[in-house]
């Protein structure tokens, strides 16, 4: 992997020594490499002076961006599927709501008839009270269910996400430009054992969405 030409060094001030925390220095060769110079400056840090090829760092950064881009593609599919399911749930809820509203209207009519029967002396007060209690309980239960269905119908869609849409565009990335680095790459920390800790900007929201979707799939 090489840096995209003509766009400035995409790793400038991004490669950090894992011992002292200072930016590592790039040599001026065509196939450049990075190393920490703090030890030579007698700063007291025991930093490694081993050179790390720039191509290795670029490869690791691009691989990391591709991984998160693929996460974004997968999350986008899951969000779309969830949105489609919610639309189906809403249609079903609307049908249930219509049925319940018809039942509620019939109960209201029976309560009215019951009241008129009491006024006209067709039923006793005891019978009126017992029947009214039963009908009122049914009506209240329907009203609670209606409220739940109305909340489900009015719920907002969150099928699109700006960060996800943005990260999806990097699924085919093959070169790191300065512009992409400024936007996405926070830092590459290199430790003496050769391990690289690559930190990208904007990934917190992707990881939070992944965790949310994982929890939802576990409780479904």
């Amino acid at each position: 992997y090489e840096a995209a030409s003509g766009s400035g060094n995409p790793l400038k001030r991004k490669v950090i020594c894992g011992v002292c925390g200072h930016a590592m220095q790039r040599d001026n060769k065509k196939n450049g490499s990075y190393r920490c110079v703090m030890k030579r400056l007698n700063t007291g840090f025991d930093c490694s002076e081993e050179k790390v090829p720039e191509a290795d760092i670029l490869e690791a950064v691009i691989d990391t961006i591709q991984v998160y881009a693929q996460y974004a593609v997968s999350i986008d599919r899951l969000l779309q599927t969830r949105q489609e399911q919610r639309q189906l749930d809403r249609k079903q809820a609307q049908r249930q709501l219509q049925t319940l509203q018809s039942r509620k209207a019939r109960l209201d009519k029976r309560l009215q008839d019951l009241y008129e029967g009491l006024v006209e002396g067709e039923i006793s007060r005891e019978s009126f009270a017992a029947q009214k209690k039963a009908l009122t309980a049914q009506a209240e239960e329907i009203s609670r269910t209606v409220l739940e269905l109305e909340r489900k119908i009015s719920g907002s869609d969150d099928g699109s996400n700006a960060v996800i849409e943005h990260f999806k565009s990097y699924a085919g990335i093959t070169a790191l430009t300065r512009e992409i680095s400024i936007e996405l790459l926070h830092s590459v920390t290199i430790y003496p054992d050769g391990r690289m800790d690559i930190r990208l900007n904007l990934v917190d929201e992707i990881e939070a969405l992944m965790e949310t979707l994982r929890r939802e799939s576990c409780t479904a």
Side-chain angles (χ1 to χ4, degrees):
Y1 284 87
E2 294 182 3
S5 60
S7 57
N9 177 13
L11 296 176
K12 187 176 182 181
R13 298 195 193 93
K14 303 276 189 178
V15 183
I16 307 298
C17 173
V19 176
C20 69
H22 288 85
M24 294 172 72
Q25 195 174 81
R26 184 190 188 277
D27 59 32
N28 292 320
K29 296 177 181 176
K30 184 175 183 240
N31 298 317
S33 60
Y34 282 82
R35 70 174 175 175
C36 185
V37 298
M38 294 304 289
K39 189 173 183 178
R40 275 186 288 160
L41 299 175
N42 296 319
T43 55
F45 290 109
D46 191 25
C47 306
S48 168
E49 294 189 282
E50 188 174 339
K51 292 183 178 182
V52 182
E54 182 179 58
D56 291 355
I57 302 171
L58 288 167
E59 180 178 7
V61 170
I62 289 169
D63 285 350
T64 303
I65 292 172
Q66 286 175 340
V67 165
Y68 277 98
Q70 288 304 319
Y71 285 159
V73 169
S74 300
I75 290 169
D76 186 59
R77 290 198 193 109
L78 285 169
L79 288 174
Q80 287 179 1
T81 301
R82 191 169 69 173
Q83 186 177 8
E84 288 165 5
Q85 185 59 51
R86 282 181 175 171
Q87 287 170 346
L88 288 173
D89 289 345
R90 282 201 189 111
K91 286 180 182 176
Q92 185 179 8
Q94 283 169 335
R95 287 194 294 269
Q96 288 176 316
L97 190 59
Q98 289 171 345
T99 302
L100 286 172
Q101 285 168 338
S102 296
R103 282 181 59 195
K104 180 72 163 49
R106 288 197 297 273
L107 280 173
D108 289 343
K109 177 71 169 59
R110 285 175 63 188
L111 278 166
Q112 182 62 32
D113 290 346
L114 193 65
Y115 179 72
E116 290 175 0
L118 175 67
V119 170
E120 293 174 8
E122 294 173 358
I123 58 172
S124 67
R125 285 188 175 276
E126 291 77 12
S127 178
F128 169 80
Q131 290 185 63
K132 182 187 175 186
K133 185 178 179 182
L135 291 172
T136 302
Q138 289 180 53
E140 287 173 351
E141 180 61 33
I142 288 173
S143 294
R144 280 194 293 273
T145 310
V146 164
L147 279 173
E148 288 171 13
L149 290 170
E150 285 174 341
R151 275 197 294 270
K152 184 180 283 191
I153 290 166
S154 65
S156 62
D157 281 324
D158 58 354
S160 62
N161 181 286
V163 172
I164 297 299
E165 288 298 317
H166 192 64
F167 250 102
K168 278 168 54 186
S169 65
Y170 294 112
I173 185 175
T174 56
L176 188 67
T177 65
R178 181 68 181 156
E179 290 74 22
I180 293 173
S181 175
I182 289 169
E183 182 178 30
L184 286 187
L185 182 60
H186 179 270
S187 61
V188 182
T189 303
I190 298 178
Y191 295 92
D193 60 3
R195 182 168 50 90
M196 294 185 200
D197 180 16
I198 297 169
R199 299 289 177 92
L200 299 182
N201 301 319
L202 308 175
V203 301
D204 287 351
E205 188 163 349
I206 288 182
E207 290 177 348
L209 270 169
M210 287 170 64
E211 182 59 30
T212 300
L213 290 168
R214 193 180 295 118
R215 279 201 305 269
E216 288 182 358
S217 65
C218 289
T219 56

